[in-house]
Structures are given as structure tokens and as C-alpha cells.
Amino acid sequence: MAAKQKILIVDDDTNIAELISLYLTKECFDTRMVEDGEQALLAYEQYEPDLILLDLMLPGIDGYQVCRQIRTKSNVPIIMLSAKGEVFDKVLGLELGADDYIIKPFDSKEMVARVKAVLRRYQPTPMPAPADKNIKCVEYTDLTINLTNYSVVYMGQTIDMPPKELELLYFLAVSPNQVFTREQLLDNIWGYDYIGDTRTVDVHVKRIREKIKDCHEWSISTVWGIGYKFEVKS
């Protein structure tokens, strides 16, 4: 029997934490609950979760700091929970490395669906080896993006890249020199039902650019007032 996926729930409101745990346990997840940032960092090391549900307003070390510290050593999926729905708070969370952002109060079914969606992106279900023609892989000088096994190799080195960054990079690279608006990228990568704004795209492009630098033969180009393109230079 396959081991249950582990979810670390970080929330100082025990009622909310227990409710989240109840719904996730019903979906056959293993859960652990902690109430503050220090406990969260300790539990991350000991529990080794597959995903973290992280409240922002925590006593002591807040959720932003917890996310920042974990991101220095791991790409474990993080979904932030917050009563703050302002764009600034969402963008800050995404810039720090969160994979999703859920506003309280939230529907329990939506929360479970988002947990499953993020886990699918981060840990794709193993499939039989496909025929070569079905492998989703694009190659350029010093850059290989493989969507089949979710890997990026840049200048001979494997780059750690969360699923959404990798999917965005692949989507651009597989259609060289084609300009995509932020709205098109948001719809294609995050889905039509994603609750967010186009700054999410800007944040992810910024994070991609921090990890891979433009080559003399290609670049991730900003088309001002419109969006982005993967530019291949002749």
C-alpha cells in the first residue's frame, strides 16, 4: 500500500486547523497540526511533509518568514492561508515562493481541491514510459525543459523550479517568438477558474529570470503593455 501524503497544517486557530485536518483525513491524507512559526520550522524538518498549509498571521515568526526560511532549502509546495485578500499580500506571498493563496473563510471542498491540484503539479503521477513522440520536451542552447518529468537543465545543471514556473517556461518556450498576453498565460497555466490577477504572471517570470539568464540565442522577453514571449534570435 502506498504511503499517505503528509500535510503540515500551520494555524494558531485550533478550530480551523482541526477542521482542515478532518477534511484532509477523509481524503486519505496524513496530517500534523502546529500553532506557530517556530513549531512549523521544527515540524517541517521532523515530519517531512509533502505540502504545507501555512497561515500568515502567526504568533512569533509569521507565515511570510516561515515561507522564506523553508524556500532557502526546499521546494515543498506551500499554500498560504489568510484573511487578507489584498493584491499586495497575495503578490508578496507568491514572491516568497508560495504555490497558491487561499483567502479565509474558504470552502472546504475548494481547499481540498487546491491541495490535490498543487500536489499533482509538484508530484506528477508516474506513467508508463511514453513513446518519444509523446515526450513533452523542448531544447535550446544551454537549456532543456522537460514537462514529462518536470525537469529543467540549464548550462548542464539541473535547476530546482516549482511546477508553475516550469509550466510557464515550457509554455513560452514551446511557441518561440509568439507573444502571449498576461491574461492568456494566466488562463493556460493557472486555469480559467483561478482567483488571482495578472501580477501573478509577472512574479513567476521574475523568479524564472533569477534562475536562468538569457542566452545569446534566446531570451525571455517582455513585450511592454502586452505580455511576454520566448524570443529566439536568428
Side-chain angles (χ1 to χ4, degrees):
M1 181 181 295
K4 293 182 178 180
Q5 290 180 297
K6 297 183 289 186
I7 312 294
L8 177 62
I9 303 166
V10 187
D11 200 313
D12 61 332
D13 187 325
T14 55
N15 291 326
I16 291 178
E18 288 174 357
L19 186 62
I20 292 172
S21 178
L22 175 64
Y23 280 105
L24 290 175
T25 300
K26 284 183 178 179
E27 296 293 326
C28 296
F29 290 104
D30 184 79
T31 66
R32 179 176 295 187
M33 297 175 287
V34 297
E35 298 179 358
D36 60 48
E38 290 186 3
Q39 292 181 50
L41 294 172
L42 182 62
Y44 163 73
E45 298 289 351
Q46 297 177 343
Y47 185 52
E48 297 183 346
D50 296 293
L51 181 143
I52 300 172
L53 283 166
L54 178 62
D55 185 35
L56 293 182
M57 305 304 291
L58 297 171
I61 303 174
D62 66 20
Y64 291 120
Q65 292 174 292
V66 172
C67 182
R68 184 183 294 111
Q69 291 192 40
I70 290 176
R71 276 292 172 263
T72 63
K73 51 192 171 184
S74 171
N75 280 326
V76 61
I78 296 174
I79 299 178
M80 288 187 167
L81 307 175
S82 178
K84 295 182 176 182
E86 289 80 4
V87 171
F88 171 81
D89 298 298
K90 295 179 184 178
V91 171
L92 178 57
L94 292 168
E95 285 182 334
L96 291 175
D99 297 274
D100 204 348
Y101 191 107
I102 302 178
I103 300 172
K104 297 179 180 179
F106 49 80
D107 180 81
S108 57
K109 292 182 179 179
E110 179 188 358
M111 180 272 297
V112 171
R114 289 191 179 219
V115 166
K116 290 181 176 179
V118 170
L119 284 170
R120 278 198 304 271
R121 293 195 299 263
Y122 190 79
Q123 297 174 323
T125 303
M127 298 291 287
D132 287 349
K133 66 179 180 180
N134 294 324
I135 293 178
K136 295 182 178 180
C137 182
V138 60
E139 296 185 18
Y140 294 97
T141 301
D142 294 332
L143 179 66
T144 301
I145 311 155
N146 191 321
L147 196 63
T148 302
N149 63 11
Y150 274 70
S151 67
V152 175
V153 178
Y154 171 63
M155 297 188 71
Q157 300 293 320
T158 299
I159 304 297
D160 288 331
M161 192 170 288
K164 276 288 172 270
E165 292 177 26
L166 191 149
E167 290 168 12
L168 177 57
L169 177 60
Y170 178 85
F171 185 82
L172 290 169
V174 80
S175 299
N177 297 322
Q178 182 172 341
V179 178
F180 293 97
T181 66
R182 290 171 174 81
E183 290 79 8
Q184 286 175 319
L185 294 171
L186 202 63
D187 288 344
N188 280 280
I189 306 302
W190 282 266
Y192 291 97
D193 59 347
Y194 177 73
I195 303 173
D197 58 52
T198 55
R199 287 199 61 187
T200 299
V201 176
D202 297 333
V203 169
H204 281 71
V205 169
K206 176 184 175 184
R207 282 157 55 180
I208 292 170
R209 284 171 168 165
E210 289 171 352
K211 296 173 183 177
I212 63 172
K213 306 302 180 184
D214 292 344
C215 170
H216 65 283
E217 294 184 12
W218 54 263
S219 63
I220 302 170
S221 300
T222 301
V223 182
W224 297 110
I226 301 177
Y228 297 96
K229 68 176 178 178
F230 190 91
E231 184 175 0
V232 177
K233 301 160 188 176
S234 55

